[in-house]
Amino acid sequence: MPENTSIILKEGTKGIAAFAFYGRTSLTSVNIPDSVTSIGDWAFYLCTSLTSVNIPDSVMSIGERAFSGCLSLTSVNIPDGVTSIGEAAFSGCRSFTALNIPNSVTSIGWDAFSGCSLLTSVNIPDSVTCIGLGAFSYCSSLTAISVSSGNSVYHSEGNCLIHTKSKALISGCKNSLIPSDGSVTRIGYFAFSGCTDLASVYIPESVKSIDWGVFFDCINLTDVYCSGSEDEIEIDHYSLDGDCYENITIHYNHTHTWNKGTVTKAATCAAVGVKTYTCTACGATKTESLAKINDHKWDDGVVTKEPTKTSKGVKTYTCTVCEKIKLETIPKLTGSVIDTNTVKEKDDSVYTVPNLTAVDVIMAAGTGAKILKADGKELGNKEKVGSGMTLVKSDGTKITIIVKGDNDGNGEITASDARLALRTAVGLEKPNNWQKNASLVDSSKADITAADARLILRAAVKLETLNLY
């Protein structure tokens, strides 16, 4: 009877026993219920056709070699509940392309992901406090190694995984640049083993020892550059692969020869830049800071104060990079000021007597002028001009129109205007700027009072003629 290619485990299953599906080469998929809390040692070892597996959030531990040799497994979701990943748990998963280690994992066993030859990047979360030897060895496609900033045991620099306290580099990749700031004094067991694309490596002066197996199977490694002398660094003979040892040259007392450098981060008005220099021999790099520049990227600017005949305007520009502001003065407007018996221009406003039409005001303002209502639409020639409307002169100048006493903007003085002024005087209304200007008809006061309301009411019943401004 042929083996099942797909397995769905029963609900209520508490754990998957060691060797449960060992060597089931025809098995392609497994669905694990959320009652399972552990996956035992060697549980799916050498299930070479397994392409997908669903691990529920209930699982807390993945045992030794649990998925080792699952050659067809391209990815696996390690849930947030997992705290430990056993030795060689995913070793030899050579189709593995993506890995997400959740922030619940505290330990990663020896060789846990060794031989995942298509894996390109790995990030160690804050929670991890123990990583076994060779956890990422023989990951020949690995180009990026990082550690979350909150991790108290490990850190990363230059694509190197470093045990902070012991200053041991425990895992590297073909893009690794060993830091020369003293944070690494030892290169640990199997740190670069299986990095088949590694051609040369620079060992800074701070490194005093290179452990066994560090460069095993780095078949294209030809040059090891050591900043120190042969007496200053202890290199285990077995750190280099025996089969290719004769092809490797160790350069002691290496002195860098820097190229002219490349700007790897351009300086802006908001941040310093970075220039990176590379040693033409060993590929080591150094950086220097580039000072901030004063070359702002200004936007098109906004007129924040319109110019008038009596005062200059202001245009405000904002840098699109650092948000710095610069101001530009706009000259006063030129041209004649409106001055007739019924229409006068004064203090950035145009004052008219009540009951004038658009034609009356336009004739006073000159050819090409127009009047806009509060909604932006043009006022008809025979329509009355009211407070709050805008006179647009032929040169584009925009001036607010004020009819003293007309605080509702209909161009007439009525009892409703007096009522609005009174409600404002007793604090029941909050007028806008033009309404306040229209209501202030008692020139002896700076604020709207009952006296203003009284004068407006008298004007409404033709017992008073209000001043033009």
Side-chain angles (χ1 to χ4, degrees):
M1 181 180 291
E3 294 181 347
N4 290 332
T5 59
S6 179
I7 292 177
I8 301 175
L9 298 179
K10 291 181 180 180
E11 289 289 342
T13 301
K14 298 298 184 184
I16 299 175
F19 301 94
F21 301 98
Y22 182 109
R24 294 279 191 92
T25 56
S26 62
L27 187 63
T28 59
S29 66
V30 179
N31 191 293
I32 302 172
D34 58 13
S35 56
V36 171
T37 59
S38 64
I39 299 174
D41 298 345
W42 306 70
F44 296 96
Y45 180 71
L46 285 181
C47 291
T48 55
S49 299
L50 187 64
T51 58
S52 66
V53 60
N54 175 47
I55 302 177
D57 292 343
S58 57
V59 171
M60 293 182 288
S61 64
I62 299 173
E64 177 182 334
R65 295 191 179 275
F67 294 94
S68 179
C70 292
L71 306 181
S72 302
L73 193 62
T74 57
S75 65
V76 65
N77 67 307
I78 301 175
D80 288 339
V82 171
T83 58
S84 65
I85 299 173
E87 293 179 15
F90 295 95
S91 64
C93 293
R94 65 187 186 191
S95 298
F96 226 53
T97 58
L99 173 63
N100 177 42
I101 303 173
N103 202 29
S104 57
V105 172
T106 58
S107 66
I108 300 172
W110 285 36
D111 294 330
F113 298 96
S114 177
C116 293
S117 55
L118 293 183
L119 191 64
T120 58
S121 65
V122 62
N123 177 68
I124 306 299
D126 296 345
S127 58
V128 173
T129 58
C130 180
I131 300 176
L133 300 180
F136 301 100
S137 60
Y138 292 87
C139 293
S140 55
S141 298
L142 197 61
T143 58
I145 300 173
S146 61
V147 179
S148 296
S149 59
N151 193 298
S152 61
V153 178
Y154 300 95
H155 73 277
S156 59
E157 184 66 36
N159 290 309
C160 297
L161 175 57
I162 303 165
H163 187 270
T164 304
K165 185 176 180 179
S166 67
K167 298 185 178 181
L169 191 162
I170 63 171
S171 190
C173 65
K174 62 183 179 182
N175 285 349
S176 292
L177 293 172
I178 302 172
S180 55
D181 58 1
S183 61
V184 175
T185 59
R186 178 171 68 89
I187 302 178
Y189 298 96
F190 309 109
F192 289 91
S193 59
C195 289
T196 54
D197 290 334
L198 188 67
S200 67
V201 63
Y202 168 66
I203 312 296
E205 190 172 6
S206 61
V207 175
K208 301 303 179 186
S209 65
I210 299 177
D211 290 340
W212 191 85
V214 167
F215 298 111
F216 267 20
D217 290 318
C218 293
I219 57 176
N220 290 303
L221 181 63
T222 56
D223 296 278
V224 177
Y225 296 89
C226 298
S227 180
S229 67
E230 188 171 0
D231 294 334
E232 292 174 319
I233 184 169
E234 181 183 349
I235 302 178
D236 190 301
H237 176 73
Y238 292 103
S239 65
L240 304 169
D241 190 301
D243 292 338
C244 60
Y245 181 77
E246 60 185 20
N247 298 322
I248 297 174
T249 302
I250 301 177
H251 307 265
Y252 292 103
N253 299 309
H254 172 66
T255 301
H256 295 302
T257 303
W258 302 112
N259 65 5
K260 294 181 179 180
T262 303
V263 175
T264 49
K265 179 184 177 184
T268 68
C269 50
V272 296
V274 176
K275 190 172 185 179
T276 301
Y277 299 86
T278 303
C279 177
T280 56
C282 71
T285 62
K286 71 172 184 177
T287 60
E288 71 175 15
S289 295
L290 303 176
K292 292 181 183 179
I293 59 176
N294 203 31
D295 184 17
H296 296 286
K297 306 296 182 183
W298 302 111
D299 63 11
D300 294 332
V302 176
V303 177
T304 49
K305 180 184 177 184
E306 295 282 355
T308 67
K309 297 288 178 56
T310 57
S311 63
K312 296 176 181 179
V314 176
K315 191 171 186 178
T316 301
Y317 297 86
T318 303
C319 177
T320 58
V321 178
C322 69
E323 298 185 349
K324 184 176 180 178
I325 289 174
K326 74 171 182 178
L327 304 179
E328 178 181 271
T329 300
I330 304 173
K332 294 179 183 179
L333 297 175
T334 57
S336 59
V337 176
I338 303 169
D339 187 9
T340 69
N341 291 332
T342 57
V343 183
K344 288 185 181 292
E345 185 178 341
K346 183 178 182 296
D347 297 335
D348 302 338
S349 296
V350 171
Y351 294 86
T352 77
V353 297
N355 298 307
L356 292 186
T357 64
V359 171
D360 298 326
V361 177
I362 289 170
M363 288 179 63
T367 305
K370 62 182 178 180
I371 296 172
L372 303 179
K373 293 184 281 190
D375 60 6
K377 295 180 180 180
E378 188 171 350
L379 189 70
N381 287 340
K382 297 300 182 180
E383 292 183 276
K384 288 184 180 180
V385 176
S387 295
M389 295 183 185
T390 302
L391 173 65
V392 182
K393 299 172 74 172
S394 58
D395 61 3
T397 307
K398 295 180 180 180
I399 311 173
T400 300
I401 296 172
I402 302 295
V403 180
K404 284 293 186 178
D406 171 33
N407 54 29
D408 61 7
N410 65 3
E412 302 175 352
I413 302 174
T414 64
S416 65
D417 296 305
R419 180 175 179 274
L420 181 58
L422 183 60
R423 286 177 60 82
T424 300
V426 297
L428 297 177
E429 295 283 349
K430 290 185 177 180
N432 57 35
N433 289 337
W434 67 261
Q435 286 177 316
K436 182 177 180 180
N437 196 350
S439 297
L440 281 170
V441 295
D442 181 1
S443 58
S444 65
K445 301 289 192 303
D447 294 313
I448 300 169
T449 66
D452 293 298
R454 179 176 178 276
L455 287 172
I456 293 172
L457 183 60
R458 286 177 61 79
V461 296
K462 312 302 184 192
L463 295 177
E464 194 82 41
T465 300
L466 301 177
N467 293 330
L468 192 59
Y469 50 82

